[in-house]
Amino acid sequence: MAKVLILGANSAIAREVANILASKGHTLYLASRNVERLRRFAQHLETKYGAEVFTGEFDATAYASHPLFFKKVLEEMGEVDWVLLAFGYLGDHERAVSDFSEARKILEINLMGAVSVLSVIAPYMEGRGRGVIAGISSIAGDRGRADNYVYGSAKGGLTVYLSGLRQRLFRKGVKVLTVKPGFVDTPMTSGLDLPKRLVSKPEKVAQDIVKAMERGKDVLHTPLYWWFIATAIRCIPEFVFKRMKFKR
Ligand SMILES: NC(=O)c1ccc[n+]([C@@H]2O[C@H](COP(=O)([O-])OP(=O)(O)OC[C@H]3O[C@@H](n4cnc5c(N)ncnc54)[C@H](OP(=O)(O)O)[C@@H]3O)[C@@H](O)[C@H]2O)c1
């Protein structure tokens, strides 16, 4: 059984991942900003599955707190086998294009927060010579689009960071998984006008994430059809792409 740390564990996708992992008997450490909500969820998992679940406060942008946070995780849970980075912030793109404070928030939560906490966790994993680090990036990080390029650039940065980390840790026995979901029906996307047929349920994305972590996969497009969409989008020449209009 693995000991799993989930960062941003209040996310709808993360909660579904936690459900699956708890049902399989893994030990969990749920961390996020809203600790009260985490505690209620942990109690639910303990009652339903008899799982061992720890909770703790984690803010991706409180960079200076990350070393102490991880020390506390290790003290409480003993060790960490798998890590899932699930925190994220879509933000208000229209505001972000002209208001740097919003753009900065998007970049800080999605990219800087991940880099900061991984600079503490990755050396620990490297030292142990085993384990899995999974980060939820996005299809949005594959190519800049007019209506989400600030969030897209943060996720693009995360995708590149995870790719480099994977190469670095490959020979050390540590697997690094980049998760690229398409549109998922969660609080992050509520109220957005998305093409309904392309919106998936967090339960499906969570199943794919758990399978990919168990198999030590490198990159996961979820659901799978996003691999075809992403590949097609990447192949469009820039002089055509700049003229195209996307529904999100
Ligand atoms: N939904 C989609 O269509 C979609 C598509 C592609 C990728 N993703 C990515 O998938 C991941 C999960 O997203 P979701 O859709 O499940 O989102 P969600 O349900 O809206 O949850 C996002 C979570 O991020 C946490 N968070 C935000 N800022 C944080 C910070 N500074 N420190 C720690 N936690 C923070 C929040 O935790 P608290 O409640 O504790 O504040 C919140 O519960 C994100 O990385 C997202 O970018 C989502």
Side-chain angles (χ1 to χ4, degrees), residues 10-13 32-34 59-60 86-87 136 151 155 182 184 186:
N10 281 321
S11 111
I13 296 172
S32 206
R33 293 178 303 189
N34 185 341
D59 184 335
F87 53 85
I136 310 187
Y151 173 77
K155 289 299 192 183
V184 192
T186 71

Side-chain angles (χ1 to χ4, degrees), residues 121-130 133 165 168-169 172 174:
I121 295 173
Y124 163 81
M125 296 294 235
E126 187 172 355
R128 292 176 85 222
R130 62 194 156 90
I133 297 172
L165 188 64
R168 177 188 160 91
L169 297 183
K172 310 284 170 121
V174 181

Side-chain angles (χ1 to χ4, degrees), residues 85 110-120 158 161:
L85 276 69
N110 294 293
L111 179 58
M112 303 286 281
V115 173
S116 171
V117 75
L118 285 178
S119 70
V120 177
L158 178 60
Y161 182 90

Side-chain angles (χ1 to χ4, degrees), residues 48 62 166 194 245:
K48 188 164 179 192
R166 175 160 47 249
L194 299 172
K245 278 199 172 166

